[in-house]
Amino acid sequence: AEAGLTLAVEAAPGVRLRADRALFQRAVGNLVENALAHTPRGGRVFLGGSEAAGGGAEVRVSDTGAGMEAADAARAFERFFRADPARARSSGGAGLGLAIVRGILTLHGGTARLESAPGRGTRVILRFPG
């Protein structure tokens, strides 16, 4: 509310996934924190969960923020990568958040995928195996 954003959460009933609770919370927390940081006042952040096609579960975090170019999106999970090099470490983190997310999904046998477009926002899809 202080940032002037709408945060919506929606999960399909009965969806279950097997994950270490603390690591799951860290992964989703990193994604929500990024979405809030890159979405301007009046924007929307969405957190959703559903069964994945073929079994397992998907967790999605999306925003209506700045988005990023395809070349940056392709590198977003790299350690220390920041799409905007002008951001100082004091205001922009260390560039480890998405690398941590991918590492957590790898530990669980899952995958993390990012979709983004400049001016249209970003969506990260976490897929946990069945």
Side-chain angles (χ1 to χ4, degrees), residues 105-123:
L105 268 291
T106 299
L107 284 172
H108 287 86
T111 59
R113 186 175 84 240
L114 184 141
E115 301 168 348
S116 189
R120 299 190 63 182
T122 299
R123 175 172 42 184

Side-chain angles (χ1 to χ4, degrees), residues 14-55:
V15 174
R16 293 179 170 225
L17 60 87
R18 174 172 246 126
D20 176 277
R21 183 181 184 136
L23 292 176
F24 174 80
Q25 288 174 332
R26 176 129 188 223
V28 173
N30 282 356
L31 296 177
V32 170
E33 185 177 319
N34 280 352
L36 293 172
H38 297 287
T39 302
R41 181 171 286 283
R44 183 172 190 256
V45 174
F46 173 79
L47 171 62
S50 62
E51 288 186 40

